[in-house]
Amino acid sequence: MTGGSEVVEATLSCAKCSKPAHLQCPKCVELKLPREGAAFCTQDCFKASWSSHKSVHLKAKLSSLATETPSEQNAALPSDGWLYCLRKGQSRTPKIPHFDWTGMLRPYPISRKRVVPAHIDQPDWANDGIPKIEPNSDLQHVVEIKTPELIERMREACRIGREVLDAAARIIKPGVTTDEIDAVVHEATVAAGGYPSPLNYHFFPKSCCTSVNEVICHGIPDARKLEDGDIINVDVTVYYKGVHGDLNETFFVGNVDEASQRLVQCTYECLEKAIAIVKPGVRFREIGEVINRHATMSGLSVVKSYCGHGIGELFHCAPNIPHYSRNKAVGVMKAGQTFTIEPMINAGVWRDRMWPDGWTAVTADGKRSAQFEHTLLVTQTGVEVLTARLPTSPKIDQISLLSTRVL
């Protein structure tokens, strides 16, 4: 409530404790919102209410946008709508942000948010960017045993996710922008009757993640054209029939140097070796031991800031799946559980930094990073790879890929 002033009549009640209020939220004043519900008796009450009160500001902004005409919305924007992303997707700017960039890559402007037809079933964050069910679900603490019916729905969502990622892979070449890749992912997902899960999830502005070179994860598709020698990870999640299917792969763009080829190959092997140990009774923490051992033997490092996760009707839930050694993951695998394994392996140090957009995680030393991901089902005897490659999946050159679905 910094910057507030004593301008509220004593007849107003505190939004937190109902005592007479003399202070007002400065943001509500700026947005010209009604004083009722924006009045507080003390700084302590304001701070205690902030986590819930700030949603009033967001709703006001969304309501304002909904009542503006298209010409009014576009008045302050370039005619083509391409702007740089800030604040996790909640802001845009026409100028490239100032940042101590760790590598050669830079952000480019992004296009407008893509539209999903109204008939498509959408998750609860689709309209306002805020997940409602996921954060407070018991499944953030308890690993769900999926029913046969739910598992079958997940097979369908994961199959669509695989086909969508394959469609994106087919257009990767020098000169193609990551925004064009996002367009393919979006259209292929919608055509299959699905919703691209990342779109507006905590305000993420695009339908997939495209992570190039030193980007570890959560890269935002933009206007940059892929260059010969790049590596790019495309991360796709599809929401279909109420469940999510999540996968990603790293691809070569044109002629890639041997060091990058070794990085991508090792990353793929890390995932395969981790999948090979999945079965009932295995501790979740063992996944990180297997991955870390293989990566370090190759002189590479394992990212510790991001991990695999449970998945199903929720995009992210228990269990957490760390990919590094000596982790503290809790629990053992049981038949019917579904989760992702998605190791991020760096050519240099494991540490990361965040770009000004609030999403793009890059290596701290600017060296390259690679990632592969599958959604997995623990079976009675082992594991089913729900997002396994298909006979029709395009080959990744120079990489020895396995296509095993059931182990």
Side-chain angles (χ1 to χ4, degrees), residues 136-186:
N136 301 312
S137 171
D138 291 341
L139 297 182
Q140 297 300 337
H141 312 286
V142 178
V143 184
E144 181 182 26
I145 304 298
K146 304 293 192 296
T147 65
E149 183 272 336
L150 200 156
I151 289 171
E152 191 54 42
R153 282 191 281 140
M154 287 199 66
R155 287 193 179 102
E156 292 183 70
C158 288
R159 170 71 180 235
I160 293 172
R162 163 51 62 187
E163 292 171 346
V164 169
L165 181 60
D166 289 351
R170 292 186 181 99
I171 73 161
I172 292 175
K173 63 181 180 180
V176 171
T177 68
T178 51
D179 184 78
E180 291 174 298
I181 295 171
D182 183 74
V184 168
V185 168
H186 185 90

Side-chain angles (χ1 to χ4, degrees), residues 106-316:
R106 299 291 184 272
Y108 277 62
I110 68 171
S111 60
R112 297 184 185 277
K113 178 185 171 185
R114 292 190 161 87
V115 176
V116 177
H119 72 272
I120 299 290
D121 186 26
Q122 303 186 8
D124 64 7
W125 58 80
N127 291 325
D128 63 8
I130 304 172
K132 320 300 186 300
I133 299 172
E134 184 175 287
N136 301 312
S137 171
D138 291 341
L139 297 182
Q140 297 300 337
H141 312 286
V142 178
V143 184
E144 181 182 26
I145 304 298
K146 304 293 192 296
T147 65
E149 183 272 336
L150 200 156
I151 289 171
E152 191 54 42
R153 282 191 281 140
M154 287 199 66
R155 287 193 179 102
E156 292 183 70
C158 288
R159 170 71 180 235
I160 293 172
R162 163 51 62 187
E163 292 171 346
V164 169
L165 181 60
D166 289 351
R170 292 186 181 99
I171 73 161
I172 292 175
K173 63 181 180 180
V176 171
T177 68
T178 51
D179 184 78
E180 291 174 298
I181 295 171
D182 183 74
V184 168
V185 168
H186 185 90
E187 294 304 324
T189 302
V190 169
Y195 179 95
S197 305
L199 185 61
N200 215 27
Y201 179 73
H202 292 289
F203 307 102
F204 188 80
K206 291 297 170 183
S207 297
C208 69
C209 300
T210 52
S211 301
V212 178
N213 296 343
E214 68 263 29
V215 178
I216 295 171
C217 61
H218 303 156
I220 300 173
D222 60 24
R224 180 186 182 271
K225 293 181 179 180
L226 295 176
E227 299 176 0
D228 187 68
D230 285 344
I231 60 173
I232 177 173
N233 179 274
V234 181
D235 194 336
V236 167
T237 310
V238 169
Y239 181 71
Y240 181 74
K241 291 188 177 181
V243 296
H244 302 270
D246 191 0
L247 73 161
N248 72 56
E249 290 180 348
T250 300
F251 304 95
F252 298 132
V253 182
N255 300 304
V256 176
D257 63 80
E258 290 187 9
S260 295
Q261 291 181 34
R262 290 194 296 270
L263 169 66
V264 176
Q265 178 71 54
C266 180
T267 305
Y268 180 79
E269 292 169 355
C270 284
L271 175 59
E272 288 295 325
K273 289 179 179 294
I275 291 173
I277 72 165
V278 174
K279 63 180 179 181
V282 174
R283 295 182 298 177
F284 292 119
R285 68 181 62 173
E286 293 300 320
I287 291 171
E289 299 296 336
V290 169
I291 291 171
N292 197 84
R293 186 181 309 119
H294 188 65
T296 55
M297 285 177 61
S298 299
L300 305 172
S301 64
V302 181
V303 173
K304 298 182 181 181
S305 304
Y306 302 92
C307 61
H309 53 89
I311 189 169
E313 292 178 309
L314 302 181
F315 193 174
H316 299 93

